[in-house]
């Protein structure tokens, strides 16, 4: 199936010339990146939605997945397999309707053609159902949910019908689809003549005229919708029986009150014959009750129109009720057999006879043929009968529902429009009129002798427009006209009705294009993002319009998404470029809903229907929300099954978050990208000599939502087999990002930050969390099995060989050190060459992790220093404190070791040379100066050997082949380093001047105490 692309959402909605632009040239038009707190806030209202539609969402996905497995077997322009998918979707919707009707069925009564929420009929059984439902279910549904599911079920039914019209199935696959859903178009008759039966003529008409077949299909769909969701006929009768004032079961009495008035008049006059309009004094004596008008003198069905007189008000209501029932039966597609039975039960047979003759009613709903339409007897009367019905409807003398009945039977549009109360009714009136008019034209063209001569005259009595003088409109024109009608404005604004209209008008592609970009703009607006790419044109009134499809209208988004996938499966070139990109917006919106609703295992299935770029972008937005390890592994396996580029998805998610964070930065500042670390406190004006103190908690504890997302995203690489270099390079980028001068965005409001903590900590806390959650050792053990065939920690090779990342502490080169192990028997077992190569590829990541570990060790040492006991608490407490301090100092030394030789000296390319140099300049001087503080302060309480190690640091920096000296010079901090060494030397001299052999005690340190403790860090 062709992929849906959203690489370039640029499109002028009024332009026909659409060009394709690569995703690299156009910034993605997508909402702001959702953080964890955003997701948690969004999930609260989504939870109810997810609970209500959770089962249906999974069923839709399973049905779509089954289509994928049979996709290779389908024929071109054959809807057989797609129809099975649509039928599956309709079945899901139907199950939801049946379930909700069991709860809200009684409340949903009382709506003849459209939902009526003003008056809900409640019953004890309905209350019991709702009570039992609430006891066993936590979801909260309403009667509006029932109405929406009814509309969805109707939409899937319509889609299945329209697919069969546009993509008819081949004969070889006729048995594949369910017979109840199968739309069988009549075949052209081999023997067709003027004496053919009405059934044969109608069937040949549908076989000959494609547009008539389509209209016939839509009319039948509208009838089925009315029959399924409309008010029961019995309910219509009961409501109007009360107005007829005769109670129930008295339909056989017909015009009861008018008959009683006539009998009374005859008794008063002792009249031997029937009353007549010209009988003496009849106008003054025979009047109805209210208002006072002349009553009919006879009870013939046409007495009212023939005599121009009225009935009693109760009988008038009875007449309206009866014709309303007849109209509803026609509107719902009841066959003539049903109508005749209904009329016979009420002794109103003449009404059934009056409605006899519709060419479409050649069989009943049970499939039995109606013989009266198969005979050739009086074949000319059908056309004359339809024209007579139209003439009666046009006369203006009939009650509106009676006129609507005759208008529906003849195709006279104006009389039917008067009783239209909904979008479906209005569409039915037009399509029914167009269909019957086309049939009359077909008969007049191909079967001239079947048309009576009186109907062939162009200026005769029967010559009038069946559409009220209006021209016949196409489906699209009619749908657009209905949108502008005030009575239908509210219903036409319903997104599902617009969707149905696009299917009927064959404008679904335009629907997707128009409302796809509108949906995206609304997502941007809700995310408070005002920037739009310049190549996305907006209508002048776009900002003032209420969007048709809201971002939280997940039912409509789901429907549009699946319809798009069905059409693309049938015809990959179905959408134009702009429509294709807009379709991707709907699919991505649905993927976003699935992610928020916790349906992570469904994400790869729908993302795979996008273009490769769209799938990568869509999934990259969802992965940070998946936190459980098992769920991550499952999703990654599913991505592989659907042939999605997993490494690109993992990489894209991190880049999108960082790009979003950087977009919030203040471009007006001119701060360096990598600011100088602030491990030590600033020197005060009074402090002219000595060393500064290490700041307590200088790394901070705040990890923003964006930073959490980055770390969560990087954890996915632990599940990715292989890709060693890519993984380590990505991790190095994250460390650089946390060390860079980026704004703190997405901070959880639960954190209370001090003003001093905000500007200094930046991403150091996030860097520490990254080093703990995805350490180099963890990565190495997870990935080496796929690379080396066994699970090892590459950093152990570093310790075993004694090799630094860019050299070794003794100054020996990597090659010479390797030569020392050339004869080692373990060489073949441990494959040191491959391990060295992997170690070199991980240079930057491991070096940056070592920097973070060193800073964490500084914080731990400072925390130990702050626990120094007072002299009164000396003794065992003091000994324990010194042991803890010695351990903390040892941790600092072990972490500083890798930073003293060749740290960040192996760039991967020329572009990284300057970047690594900038990081070295920002970090190394501060780290080494802080290291001197640790050594000097520890020497006062642990051992003066630490003073000698301080001098070793100076010797290392001053050595000719050292890379530390130039780093201090570039940072402008060499004078500060020299002052620190001078202070250390002074401390050693003062200590030696008071030298002796006394031992240190808790109360008297003697000459072992370091006297040069002016302003030392404690």
């Amino acid at each position: 199936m062709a992929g849906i692309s959203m690489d370039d959402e640029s499109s002028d909605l009024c332009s026909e010339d659409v060009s394709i632009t690569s995703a690299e040239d156009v910034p993605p038009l997508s909402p702001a990146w959702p953080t964890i707190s955003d997701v948690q806030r969004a999930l609260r209202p989504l939870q109810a939605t997810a609970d209500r539609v959770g089962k249906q969402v999974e069923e839709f996905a399973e049905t779509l997945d089954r289509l994928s497995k049979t996709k290779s077997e389908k024929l071109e322009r054959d809807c057989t397999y797609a129809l099975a998918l649509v039928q599956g979707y309709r079945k899901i919707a139907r199950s939801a309707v049946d379930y909700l009707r069991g709860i809200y069925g009684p409340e949903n009564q009382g709506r003849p053609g459209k939902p009526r929420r003003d008056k809900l009929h409640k019953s004890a059984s309905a209350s019991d159902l709702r009570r039992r439902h609430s006891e066993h279910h936590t979801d909260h549904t309403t009667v509006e949910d029932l109405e929406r599911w009814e509309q969805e079920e109707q939409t899937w039914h319509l889609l299945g019908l329209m697919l069969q019209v546009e993509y008819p199935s081949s004969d070889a696959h006729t048995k594949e689809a369910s017979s109840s859903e199968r739309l069988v178009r009549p075949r052209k008759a081999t023997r067709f003549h003027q004496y053919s039966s009405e059934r044969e003529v109608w069937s040949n008409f549908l076989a000959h005229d494609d547009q008539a077949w389509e209209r016939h299909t839509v009319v039948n769909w509208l009838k089925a919708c009315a029959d399924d969701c409309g008010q029961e006929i019995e309910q219509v009768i009961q409501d109007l029986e009360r107005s007829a004032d005769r109670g129930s079961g008295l339909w056989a009495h017909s015009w009861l009150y008018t008959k009683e008035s006539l009998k009374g008049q005859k008794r008063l006059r002792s009249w031997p014959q029937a009353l007549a309009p010209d009988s003496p004094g009849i106008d003054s004596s025979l009047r109805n009750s209210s208002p006072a008008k002349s009553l009919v003198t006879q009870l013939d069905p046409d007495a009212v129109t023939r005599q121009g007189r009225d009935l009693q008000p109760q009988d008038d209501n009875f007449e309206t009720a009866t014709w309303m029932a007849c109209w509803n039966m026609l509107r719902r597609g009841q066959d003539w057999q049903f109508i005749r039975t209904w009329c016979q039960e009420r002794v109103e047979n003449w009404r059934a006879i009056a409605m006899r003759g519709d060419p479409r009613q050649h069989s009943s709903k049970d499939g039995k043929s109606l013989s009266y339409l198969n005979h050739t007897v009086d074949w000319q009367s059908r056309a004359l009968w339809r024209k007579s019905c139209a003439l009666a409807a046009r006369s203006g003398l009939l009650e509106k529902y009676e006129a609507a009945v005759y208008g529906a039977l003849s195709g006279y549009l104006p009389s039917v429009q008067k009783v239209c109360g909904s979008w479906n009714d209005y569409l039915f009136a037009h399509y029914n009129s167009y269909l019957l008019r086309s049939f009359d034209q077909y008969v007049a063209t191909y079967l001239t002798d079947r048309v009576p001569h009186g109907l062939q005259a162009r200026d005769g009595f029967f010559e009038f427009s069946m559409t009220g003088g209006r021209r016949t409109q196409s489906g699209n024109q009619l749908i657009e006209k209905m949108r502008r009608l005030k009575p239908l404005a509210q219903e036409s604004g319903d997104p599902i009705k617009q969707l149905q209209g696009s299917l009927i008008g064959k404008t679904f592609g335009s629907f997707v294009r128009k409302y796809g970009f509108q949906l995206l703009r609304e997502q941007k607006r809700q995310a408070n993002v005002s920037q739009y790419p310049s190549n996305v044109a907006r209508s002048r009134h776009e900002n003032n319009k209420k969007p048709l499809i809201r971002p939280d209208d997940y039912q409509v988004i789901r429907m549009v998404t699946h319809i798009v996938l069905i059409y693309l499966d049938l015809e990959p070139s179905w959408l134009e470029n702009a429509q294709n990109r807009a379709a991707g917006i709907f699919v991505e919106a649905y993927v976003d809903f699935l992610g928020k609703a916790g349906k992570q295992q469904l994400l790869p299935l729908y993302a795979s229907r996008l273009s490769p770029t769209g799938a990568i972008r869509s999934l990259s937005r969802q992965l940070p929300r998946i936190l459980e390890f098992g769920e991550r592994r499952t999703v990654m396996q599913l991505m592989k099954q659907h042939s999605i580029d997993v490494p690109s998805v993992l990489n894209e998610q991190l880049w999108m978050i960082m790009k979003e964070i950087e977009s919030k930065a203040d471009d007006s500042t001119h701060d360096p990208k990598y600011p100088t670390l602030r491990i030590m406190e600033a020197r005060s004006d009074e402090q002219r000599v000595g060393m500064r103190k290490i700041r307590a908690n200088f790394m901070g504890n705040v990890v923003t939502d964006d930073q959490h997302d980055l770390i969560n995203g990087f954890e996915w690489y632990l599940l990715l087999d292989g890709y060693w270099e890519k993984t380590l390079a990505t991790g190095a980028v994250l460390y650089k990002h946390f060390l860079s001068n980026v704004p703190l965005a997405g901070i959880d409001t639960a954190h209370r930050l001090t003003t001093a903590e905000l500007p200094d900590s930046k991403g150091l806390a996030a860097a520490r969390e990254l080093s703990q959650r995805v350490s180099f050792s963890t990565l190495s053990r997870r990935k080496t099995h796929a690379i080396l065939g066994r699970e090892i920690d590459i950093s152990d090779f570093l310790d075993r060989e004694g090799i630094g990342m860019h050299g070794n502490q003794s100054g020996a080169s990597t090659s010479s050190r390797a030569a020392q192990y050339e004869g080692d028997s373990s060489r073949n077992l441990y494959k040191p060459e491959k391990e060295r190569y992997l170690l070199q590829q991980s240079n930057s990541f491991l070096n940056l992790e070592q920097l973070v570990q060193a800073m964490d060790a500084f914080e731990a040492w400072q925390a130990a220093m702050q626990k120094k006991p007072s002299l009164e608490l000396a003794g065992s407490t003091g000994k324990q404190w010194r042991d803890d301090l010695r351990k903390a100092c040892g941790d600092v030394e072990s972490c500083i070791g890798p930073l003293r030789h060749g740290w960040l000296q192996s760039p991967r390319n020329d572009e990284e040379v300057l970047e690594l140099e900038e990081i070295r300049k920002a970090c190394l001087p501060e780290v080494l100066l802080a290291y001197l503080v640790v050594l000097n302060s520890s020497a006062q309480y642990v051992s003066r050997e630490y003073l000698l190690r301080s001098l070793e640091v100076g010797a290392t920096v001053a050595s000719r082949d050292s890379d530390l000296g130039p780093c201090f010079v570039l940072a402008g901090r060499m004078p500060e380093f020299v002052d620190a060494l001078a202070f250390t030397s002074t401390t050693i001299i003062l200590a030696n001047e008071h030298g002796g052999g006394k031992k240190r005690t808790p109360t008297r340190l003697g000459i072992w105490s370091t006297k040069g403790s002016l302003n030392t860090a404690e």
Side-chain angles (χ1 to χ4, degrees), residues 760-891:
D760 297 331
S761 60
K762 289 192 180 295
L764 297 184
R768 173 168 55 193
E769 183 167 340
L770 175 62
S771 68
Q772 294 170 351
R773 289 172 56 180
V774 195
S775 65
F776 177 78
S777 297
T778 302
L779 270 174
S780 179
R781 284 190 292 270
R782 287 285 176 85
K783 290 187 171 293
T784 49
H785 185 274
I787 301 173
L788 301 176
R790 65 189 186 282
E791 184 179 297
I792 64 171
D793 184 356
I794 298 295
S795 59
D796 293 341
F797 177 78
L798 177 67
D799 298 333
R800 185 176 68 251
E801 298 285 303
I803 302 176
M805 293 300 295
H806 191 69
N808 53 76
Q809 295 185 12
S810 62
S813 64
T814 302
S815 58
S816 61
R817 174 69 65 180
Q820 298 176 13
Y821 287 88
E822 183 141 4
D824 192 349
S825 60
S826 64
R827 181 176 182 272
N828 293 331
L829 178 61
Y830 291 103
K831 303 179 182 179
E833 295 86 353
K834 184 173 288 188
E835 292 178 353
R836 265 194 211 96
Y837 179 69
L838 295 178
L839 202 56
Q840 291 173 359
Q841 290 180 323
S842 61
N843 187 359
S844 296
F845 179 84
L846 182 56
N847 283 172
L848 292 170
E849 181 184 275
Q850 291 165 342
L851 170 66
V852 175
Q853 291 172 344
M855 289 188 289
D856 191 37
F858 284 140
E859 267 201 356
W861 178 88
Q862 179 60 25
M865 282 292 295
Q866 290 178 337
K867 296 178 181 179
K868 182 183 68 173
S870 59
L871 294 177
E872 292 79 5
L873 298 177
S876 60
T877 303
K879 182 178 183 301
Q880 180 63 43
W881 172 75
R882 284 192 297 274
D883 292 340
D884 294 341
L885 186 64
R886 182 181 293 105
K887 180 179 182 303
C889 188
D891 292 339

Side-chain angles (χ1 to χ4, degrees), residues 456-527:
Q456 297 179 10
R458 295 186 177 277
D459 55 353
F461 182 72
F462 292 101
E463 184 60 25
F464 54 87
S465 173
M466 298 294 288
T467 59
R470 303 181 184 91
R471 64 182 180 85
T472 303
Q473 296 176 309
S474 66
N476 184 37
Q477 291 172 335
L478 182 59
I479 297 299
E480 289 299 317
K481 178 183 177 181
M482 292 166 62
R483 292 178 58 188
R484 297 190 295 269
L485 294 177
K486 289 185 179 180
L488 303 178
Q490 182 176 358
E491 191 175 3
S492 297
D494 183 81
I496 296 184
K497 281 300 176 188
Q498 293 255 11
L499 176 57
Q500 292 174 355
S502 69
L503 296 174
I504 294 172
K506 297 183 179 180
T507 58
F508 180 66
S510 299
F511 173 92
V512 170
R513 178 184 180 186
K514 178 178 181 181
Y515 296 114
F517 288 115
Q518 187 185 92
L519 170 65
L520 191 56
R521 293 190 184 100
E522 180 63 15
Q523 290 174 331
K524 297 282 286 183
R525 188 193 66 78
Q526 292 185 5

Side-chain angles (χ1 to χ4, degrees), residues 926-959:
E926 183 78 2
V927 168
L928 291 178
L929 288 171
Y931 180 49
L932 293 180
V933 172
V934 170
L935 293 177
N936 275 271
S937 299
S938 299
Q940 181 178 358
Y941 301 105
V942 180
S943 171
R944 71 174 182 174
E945 293 295 327
Y946 289 124
L947 295 175
L948 299 178
R949 295 175 191 174
S950 298
L951 297 181
E952 291 178 1
V953 175
T956 302
V957 173
S959 64

Side-chain angles (χ1 to χ4, degrees), residues 418-621:
K418 294 179 181 179
V419 298
C420 292
S422 66
W423 189 90
N424 282 17
D425 290 343
Y426 193 89
L427 183 62
F428 170 81
H430 284 76
Y431 263 49
N432 180 72
S433 176
Y434 296 162
L435 180 61
L436 291 177
R437 182 185 179 190
S438 299
F439 178 65
D440 286 336
Q441 292 173 347
Y442 172 80
V443 174
T445 301
Y446 295 97
L447 299 171
T448 308
D449 293 338
R450 291 181 72 103
V451 182
H453 294 291
L455 299 182
Q456 297 179 10
R458 295 186 177 277
D459 55 353
F461 182 72
F462 292 101
E463 184 60 25
F464 54 87
S465 173
M466 298 294 288
T467 59
R470 303 181 184 91
R471 64 182 180 85
T472 303
Q473 296 176 309
S474 66
N476 184 37
Q477 291 172 335
L478 182 59
I479 297 299
E480 289 299 317
K481 178 183 177 181
M482 292 166 62
R483 292 178 58 188
R484 297 190 295 269
L485 294 177
K486 289 185 179 180
L488 303 178
Q490 182 176 358
E491 191 175 3
S492 297
D494 183 81
I496 296 184
K497 281 300 176 188
Q498 293 255 11
L499 176 57
Q500 292 174 355
S502 69
L503 296 174
I504 294 172
K506 297 183 179 180
T507 58
F508 180 66
S510 299
F511 173 92
V512 170
R513 178 184 180 186
K514 178 178 181 181
Y515 296 114
F517 288 115
Q518 187 185 92
L519 170 65
L520 191 56
R521 293 190 184 100
E522 180 63 15
Q523 290 174 331
K524 297 282 286 183
R525 188 193 66 78
Q526 292 185 5
N528 296 322
V529 177
S530 59
Q531 297 295 328
Y532 289 85
S534 59
N535 50 1
V536 177
R538 286 177 289 173
S539 169
R540 291 178 299 175
H541 308 290
E542 186 76 25
N543 293 333
N544 299 325
K545 288 184 178 180
K546 182 180 178 181
L548 178 71
I549 302 176
R550 304 184 312 276
D552 60 347
D553 197 347
Y554 302 111
Q555 184 177 18
V556 177
I557 292 175
R558 170 174 51 77
M559 294 172 63
V560 175
T561 296
H562 288 84
I563 295 174
V564 163
L565 299 179
I566 289 171
Y567 270 112
L568 284 176
D569 181 74
L570 285 168
E571 192 171 353
S573 60
W574 166 69
L575 290 176
E576 300 175 0
N577 291 328
Q579 294 170 346
N580 204 10
R581 294 188 293 273
I585 296 173
F586 280 104
V587 178
E588 290 197 31
Y590 187 59
V591 170
D592 186 64
F593 161 67
L594 293 176
K596 292 177 180 177
K599 305 296 182 181
Q600 285 88 0
Q601 295 186 17
L602 304 181
L603 299 178
L605 171 64
Y606 288 92
S608 65
R609 296 310 198 272
L610 295 161
S611 66
T613 305
I616 292 171
R617 179 174 52 250
S618 180
L619 285 175
S620 65
R621 294 178 56 83

Side-chain angles (χ1 to χ4, degrees), residues 326-344:
C326 293
W327 156 253
N328 274 272
M329 286 187 286
L330 287 179
R331 176 66 182 83
R332 300 177 191 202
Q334 299 293 351
D335 56 68
W336 187 77
Q337 189 67 39
F338 179 91
I339 297 173
R340 184 178 66 174
T341 303
W342 187 90
C343 292
Q344 283 178 340

Side-chain angles (χ1 to χ4, degrees), residues 877-916:
T877 303
K879 182 178 183 301
Q880 180 63 43
W881 172 75
R882 284 192 297 274
D883 292 340
D884 294 341
L885 186 64
R886 182 181 293 105
K887 180 179 182 303
C889 188
D891 292 339
V892 171
E893 286 191 284
S894 63
C895 292
I896 289 296
L899 275 63
R900 294 171 58 182
H901 304 280
W903 187 74
L904 282 186
Q905 289 288 290
S906 299
R908 292 186 300 124
N909 48 52
D910 295 339
E911 297 178 357
E912 198 179 22
V913 173
L914 295 178
E915 185 179 28
L916 295 184

Side-chain angles (χ1 to χ4, degrees), residues 88 118 128 196 264 287 384 418 495 574 634 643 699 757 790 971 1012:
D118 56 341
D128 294 340
S196 298
R287 313 281 289 183
L384 182 60
K418 294 179 181 179
W574 166 69
T634 301
S643 303
M699 296 185 75
E757 187 179 11
R790 65 189 186 282

